Amino acid sequence: MHLQIVRLLEWKIANHGKRFINISNKRENSFRKVYKEFWSPKLINKPPYEHFTQVGDPVLRTKAAEVPGELVNSKEVEHIVEKMIKVLRKFDCVGVAAPQIGISLRIIVMEFRDGLKDILPKPVYEARKMCTLPLTVVINPTLTVTNYEKHKHPEGCMSVRGYSAEVERFHSVLLKGKNLKGIENEVELSGWNARIAQHEMDHLDGKLYIDRMDSSTFICTCWETVNVKSGRVEIPFYK
Ligand SMILES: [Zn+2]
């Protein structure tokens, strides 16, 4: 016989009531609750996040849903886009897709600031065919390759923080979609900006650059510093 039943019977005999059962349930429930919360803390931080979701998060492996037509021009979508721009600029990057801030919707934001030309080494800037791209918000984007010539360059992703690898991307693409006002736009991109668009479009289909990379070139971007600093290096997920 189960130990608990023996105790229950003992209590019933002594007290002639059902109170034990109620108390027992309460105690069990509250213990279960505390125990559960201990192992799975309440999600107090809800998306849209102000950090980048990381590989392993199912949101990065899910095909994102189209933004319904009637919501394109809504405050909710505007709020998501504002957060995407905030995160893009806070982390100093050039592209972000909504799943990267925890929202499984087909929205991408890109920006290649003019100032990057002064920060990046000139040979790198030229070899990777980089050029300024003003802030571009595309809702429900579609991408058509307009030049199938491929270029292989190192690529990183804020959702695979701390690593990079060489990835082949098409030279030019035509990106179409709605802006925040719900107006259909199109933009022809080439070189690095075409790469950003292809990378962000992949995010909307649950794909990451690690699915397309030349795996022999996959590196931890701080591997040399790890040696210099005897391993005392951290990859920050905040800023
Ligand atoms: Zn990415």
Side-chain angles (χ1 to χ4, degrees):
M1 194 183 273
H2 196 275
L3 185 66
Q4 207 173 354
I5 297 168
V6 174
R7 281 184 184 156
L8 178 65
L9 287 173
E10 281 168 1
W11 180 268
K12 267 188 171 177
I13 293 161
N15 294 279
H16 315 286
K18 288 185 178 177
R19 218 171 136 235
F20 176 78
I21 299 166
N22 293 336
I23 291 170
S24 165
N25 282 349
K26 253 189 192 171
R27 275 182 186 158
E28 253 180 53
N29 283 342
S30 81
F31 173 73
R32 199 173 292 151
K33 204 177 155 208
V34 171
Y35 186 79
K36 203 176 161 189
E37 279 173 7
F38 180 74
W39 290 106
S40 50
K42 276 182 188 167
L43 290 172
I44 47 165
N45 196 17
K46 290 178 183 167
Y49 299 130
E50 291 192 9
H51 62 267
F52 280 91
T53 51
Q54 293 300 307
V55 58
D57 190 326
V59 75
L60 291 170
R61 290 306 197 178
T62 306
K63 190 176 165 71
E66 293 256 327
V67 177
E70 67 274 20
L71 286 180
V72 171
N73 208 0
S74 68
K75 279 194 173 167
E76 289 80 1
V77 168
E78 196 182 331
H79 175 64
I80 293 165
V81 170
E82 274 171 14
K83 281 282 175 96
M84 289 171 74
I85 296 169
K86 190 175 176 182
V87 169
L88 176 97
R89 290 178 174 168
K90 184 166 86 167
F91 285 85
D92 247 334
C93 48
V94 291
V96 56
Q100 290 185 282
I101 59 160
I103 301 289
S104 195
L105 284 174
R106 302 187 80 80
I107 310 170
I108 62 172
V109 173
M110 302 180 297
E111 183 180 45
F112 196 96
R113 291 177 304 285
D114 208 19
L116 288 171
K117 195 174 185 178
D118 305 323
I119 300 166
L120 294 161
K122 204 179 171 190
V124 170
Y125 195 89
E126 284 172 0
R128 298 183 189 180
K129 296 179 172 59
M130 291 169 160
C131 74
T132 306
L133 175 69
L135 184 68
T136 306
V137 176
V138 195
I139 299 167
N140 297 338
T142 60
L143 183 142
T144 315
V145 178
T146 51
N147 183 338
Y148 283 86
E149 194 182 306
K150 281 184 171 179
H151 301 279
K152 196 178 182 188
H153 289 296
E155 200 171 300
C157 177
M158 293 304 286
S159 292
V160 190
R161 194 84 167 104
Y163 297 88
S164 88
E166 291 189 357
V167 184
E168 273 192 336
R169 299 283 187 187
F170 297 115
H171 182 269
S172 307
V173 298
L174 182 69
L175 190 65
K176 288 183 184 178
K178 288 191 163 75
N179 66 13
L180 261 180
K181 287 174 184 161
I183 298 163
E184 196 74 29
N185 273 336
E186 63 174 57
V187 57
E188 174 120 34
L189 302 166
S190 62
W192 198 260
N193 291 336
R195 175 176 293 268
I196 300 168
Q198 289 168 78
H199 178 116
E200 302 310 332
M201 285 299 289
D202 274 353
H203 273 302
L204 303 186
D205 292 328
K207 286 201 178 80
L208 298 168
Y209 83 86
I210 50 174
D211 304 329
R212 301 188 184 277
M213 69 180 178
D214 171 352
S215 57
S216 68
T217 65
F218 185 60
I219 58 159
C220 172
T221 51
C222 57
W223 69 268
E224 285 164 303
T225 319
V226 168
N227 293 340
V228 171
K229 297 198 171 181
S230 304
R232 290 184 193 88
V233 185
E234 284 173 7
I235 298 171
F237 296 98
Y238 62 91
K239 204 163 183 182

Coordinates of all heavy atoms in Angstrom, one line a residue, residues 100 157-158 199 203, ligand 1:
Q100 N 14.2 37.8 -34.8 CA 15.4 38.1 -34.0 C 15.1 38.9 -32.7 O 15.9 39.0 -31.8 CB 16.5 38.8 -34.8 CG 17.1 37.9 -35.8 CD 18.2 38.6 -36.5 OE1 18.0 39.4 -37.4 NE2 19.4 38.3 -36.1
C157 N 26.0 36.8 -37.6 CA 24.6 37.0 -37.3 C 24.5 37.3 -35.8 O 25.1 36.6 -35.0 CB 23.8 35.8 -37.7 SG 22.1 35.9 -37.2
M158 N 23.7 38.3 -35.5 CA 23.6 38.6 -34.0 C 22.9 37.5 -33.3 O 22.9 37.5 -32.0 CB 22.8 40.0 -33.9 CG 23.6 41.2 -34.4 SD 25.2 41.4 -33.7 CE 24.7 42.0 -32.1
H199 N 20.2 37.5 -46.3 CA 20.4 37.0 -44.9 C 19.1 37.2 -44.1 O 18.6 36.3 -43.4 CB 21.6 37.7 -44.3 CG 21.9 37.4 -42.8 ND1 23.0 36.8 -42.5 CD2 21.1 37.5 -41.7 CE1 23.0 36.6 -41.1 NE2 21.8 37.0 -40.7
H203 N 16.0 34.6 -42.4 CA 15.4 34.6 -41.1 C 13.9 34.4 -41.1 O 13.4 33.7 -40.2 CB 15.8 35.9 -40.4 CG 17.1 35.9 -39.7 ND1 17.5 35.0 -38.7 CD2 18.2 36.7 -39.8 CE1 18.7 35.3 -38.3 NE2 19.1 36.3 -39.0
Ligands
ZN1 ZN 21.0 37.1 -38.7

